[in-house]
Amino acid sequence: MCSLGLFPPPPPPGDVTLYELNNALVCGRLSEQLPLAFQSQVPELPVLSLPKEPLKAHGRLEPSARPPFIHHRESLWKRCLSAWRDAGLCGLLRELASAEDEGLRWLRTGSSHALAMCRWLSSLHGSLFPHLSLTSEDMIAAFSQAVDWAGCTVRAFAWHPHTNKFAVALLDDSIRVYNSNSATVPALKHRLQRNVAAMAWKPLCASILAVACQSCVLVWHLDPTSLSTRPSSGCAQVLSYPGHSPVTSLAWAPSGERLLSASPVDTAMLVWDVSTETCVQLQWFGGGGVTYLAWSPDGSKVLAATPSAVFRVWEAQMWTCERWPTIRGRCQTGCWSPDGSRLLFTVLGESVIYSLSFSEYRGEMQGQVGGSKTASIVADLSETTFETLYGEERIGGEVHSMVWDPTGERLAVIIRGQPEAPGSQVAVAVFRTRNSPVFELLPCGFVRGERGARPQLISFHPCFPQGALLTVCWSSGRISHIPFFFVSALEPRASPRRSPVPVLGSVREQPLFSEL
């Protein structure tokens, strides 16, 4: 089993990680260039520095605050429709209970009693699922893949699956799209684009971007040939569903045919047909909501994490699922191997990485998830002290987010550290991985940014031919791209017909029971 004690010491203070060569991370000064032989192999990507000062987050609204342009002179049924769309049943009852029409005294009384009952049931439900008592902003911050969603400049990041283009969601709820082949930087703004939690580009498509917002999902249709820096809000579709907000996670099917959205307050995840703006609920009671989604690259399975100590894996043909209760806390993050045969995931409150392997069923067994009954611990990330020439450095703790590169040969992990322990730090650890013929997880090194900068988000370029390209968004607002140069094993990246491989005998088995 891999542990942080096997890693080389972190780079010295003042140095930054530049690239990987010969299975080792190379560090140096920020101004240093790549070796001349490699400069032509890396695309001209913008290295951004987005300071926090010019950006201003929207102020928080109290739950009872009314939007400034909706007034009481509207008819009651229009106000009720708006309340139902924005806040569901409780919003509708609240609007009816505050109606001022004299002839509706009986309706106000009944609505007031029904609202009191809903609030009592909500408080009972909230005692079982404490996250339901949080505000929308606090809920997004708790379940976001960004380390400090509420305070960092960059709140979400998404690479385009086929080109050197990426989208950045900022603190002021604007989204900027950068392209290595164009100097034009479109800025996306919409009145419903508030508290952006996640973004995802549609596969096999030039420029369709889905955005998870507080009250809905926005789907931007961008013209890649346009020179406009401010696309009209008419370019965005609005996908909303009562009781499905805030939206904290999105996932496109690798074929681009369907879009999944998840909310911590909705026990169902929604499968959207974007062209018709309709959705189907995948309902499964228990868990208190859905916080994080990850569709396997081969399109066969979907990971759905919940706010409680259980997560599910759905198969995407018959849409059946299996559930795994965890030992201590909720599933924090997860990522799939390129062939969809292995899931790596972490649990809140634990400093380890788990692995689940999946079988492929044919014939009568087709349509089953096929997950193994137990998860294996493949990495121990407990806090480790490194003795360096510059003093002691302590790295280790819970994993906040984790990404696996498309070749299946590099795994990057953000380790939160121990916030209550002095000297502990947030760090990015990089592993070398192999999924066939046996699963291996080997240490590579730590990624370091500028002095004082903490990693917030990580993402791999989906199609970097020279190995892997890791993008790191830092707390300083800087977005850096770190190339890992290696020769890939050239295995198929998304072959849906592969059998799972055995895990090395050095890993420790942990019982996590699967229940249909």
Side-chain angles (χ1 to χ4, degrees):
M1 179 172 58
C2 190
S3 68
L4 293 183
L6 302 176
F7 272 67
D15 282 4
V16 299
T17 303
L18 300 175
Y19 56 93
E20 180 205 326
L21 187 63
N22 296 327
N23 295 329
L25 295 179
V26 179
C27 61
R29 296 300 171 180
L30 187 62
S31 57
E32 290 186 30
Q33 299 292 323
L34 288 174
L36 192 60
F38 294 109
Q39 290 182 11
S40 62
Q41 301 183 30
V42 179
E44 292 291 334
L45 298 172
V47 178
L48 306 176
S49 184
L50 304 169
K52 185 177 179 179
E53 287 71 24
L55 305 175
K56 184 178 179 182
H58 290 287
R60 295 191 176 191
L61 292 176
E62 295 298 324
S64 59
R66 291 182 177 274
F69 300 110
I70 296 181
H71 45 81
H72 286 278
R73 284 181 295 177
E74 286 183 329
S75 63
L76 177 62
W77 73 268
K78 284 187 177 180
R79 300 200 308 269
C80 289
L81 182 62
S82 175
W84 167 262
R85 185 177 60 249
D86 293 340
L89 178 61
C90 287
L92 173 63
L93 293 175
R94 193 182 302 117
E95 188 65 46
L96 291 174
S98 61
E100 298 176 355
D101 298 346
E102 281 297 324
L104 300 177
R105 182 176 301 176
W106 61 272
L107 184 59
R108 293 202 308 270
T109 303
S111 299
S112 298
H113 290 308
L115 182 60
M117 178 63 69
C118 284
R119 287 172 174 169
W120 180 81
L121 292 175
S122 178
S123 64
L124 179 62
H125 196 212
S127 64
L128 299 175
F129 303 105
H131 73 281
L132 296 177
S133 62
L134 300 175
T135 63
S136 294
E137 291 87 349
D138 292 337
M139 196 178 299
I140 295 172
F143 300 117
S144 170
Q145 293 295 292
V147 174
D148 180 19
W149 179 87
C152 64
T153 304
V154 179
R155 288 184 161 181
F157 180 93
W159 273 109
H160 192 281
H162 311 298
T163 63
N164 295 321
K165 178 167 62 177
F166 57 84
V168 179
L170 302 177
L171 182 65
D172 62 353
D173 290 330
S174 67
I175 295 175
R176 300 179 189 176
V177 179
Y178 296 88
N179 192 335
S180 63
N181 299 321
S182 174
T184 303
V185 181
L188 311 181
K189 295 184 179 181
H190 194 282
R191 64 183 181 85
L192 296 177
Q193 192 168 282
R194 302 288 296 271
N195 296 326
V196 175
M199 299 182 296
W201 292 94
K202 182 178 179 180
L204 308 179
C205 186
S207 288
I208 294 182
L209 177 67
V211 182
C213 307
Q214 177 170 315
S215 61
C216 64
V217 176
L218 290 179
V219 181
W220 286 93
H221 297 256
L222 307 175
D223 182 0
T225 62
S226 173
L227 298 179
S228 172
T229 59
R230 182 68 189 275
S232 165
S233 59
C235 298
Q237 285 179 271
V238 179
L239 307 179
S240 63
Y241 193 85
H244 192 76
S245 64
V247 182
T248 57
S249 188
L250 296 170
W252 285 98
S255 64
E257 295 178 353
R258 296 290 184 267
L259 173 67
L260 292 177
S261 66
S263 171
V265 302
D266 191 354
T267 57
M269 62 181 186
L270 302 184
V271 185
W272 292 95
D273 184 342
V274 176
S275 61
T276 61
E277 299 185 1
T278 58
C279 67
V280 175
Q281 288 182 293
L282 290 180
Q283 185 77 51
W284 190 277
F285 295 100
V290 182
T291 59
Y292 177 74
L293 297 170
W295 210 313
S296 64
D298 68 338
S300 63
K301 291 174 284 295
V302 176
L303 165 68
T306 73
S308 59
V310 65
F311 68 92
R312 302 182 186 92
V313 175
W314 294 79
E315 62 84 24
Q317 183 176 5
M318 304 298 295
W319 289 109
T320 59
C321 74
E322 291 182 4
R323 63 191 297 268
W324 280 267
T326 59
I327 303 295
R328 178 179 293 183
R330 62 178 172 86
C331 176
Q332 168 65 26
T333 187
C335 54
W336 292 94
S337 63
D339 61 2
S341 68
R342 186 172 301 278
L343 171 67
L344 300 181
F345 68 95
T346 64
V347 173
L348 192 67
E350 298 185 13
S351 303
V352 297
I353 298 176
Y354 289 99
S355 171
L356 271 176
S357 60
F358 291 82
S359 305
E360 180 195 353
Y361 289 123
R362 298 176 182 272
E364 295 181 357
M365 300 291 288
Q366 193 171 1
Q368 296 192 21
V369 177
S372 57
K373 299 299 181 181
T374 58
S376 304
I377 295 179
V378 294
D380 182 1
L381 305 182
S382 301
E383 189 173 76
T384 302
T385 301
F386 292 89
E387 300 285 348
T388 69
L389 297 176
Y390 308 92
E392 292 185 351
E393 291 204 43
R394 301 166 61 183
I395 297 178
E398 299 178 18
V399 174
H400 187 82
S401 64
M402 182 167 54
V403 289
W404 209 341
D405 90 294
T407 68
E409 298 186 41
R410 294 296 181 272
L411 177 75
V413 174
I414 293 184
I415 305 174
R416 286 188 65 99
Q418 306 290 344
E420 68 281 356
S424 184
Q425 57 183 300
V426 183
V428 177
V430 178
F431 296 85
R432 290 183 287 119
T433 59
R434 186 173 66 174
N435 201 39
S436 178
V438 292
F439 178 71
E440 288 184 337
L441 196 65
L442 302 173
C444 185
F446 296 107
V447 173
R448 171 157 282 174
E450 299 173 279
R451 190 185 295 270
R454 300 179 305 277
Q456 299 294 319
L457 287 162
I458 51 177
S459 178
F460 274 110
H461 191 294
C463 47
F464 182 67
Q466 281 73 37
L469 183 68
L470 178 66
T471 299
V472 184
C473 304
W474 302 92
S475 58
S476 61
R478 184 178 177 83
I479 299 177
S480 59
H481 311 285
I482 304 168
F484 299 161
F485 298 107
F486 59 87
V487 178
S488 173
L490 298 179
E491 289 194 2
R493 293 192 178 183
S495 64
R497 298 292 180 256
R498 295 182 62 85
S499 300
V501 295
V503 181
L504 288 180
S506 59
V507 299
R508 179 160 55 94
E509 294 293 326
Q510 184 78 15
L512 290 176
F513 299 102
S514 170
E515 302 174 7
L516 289 177

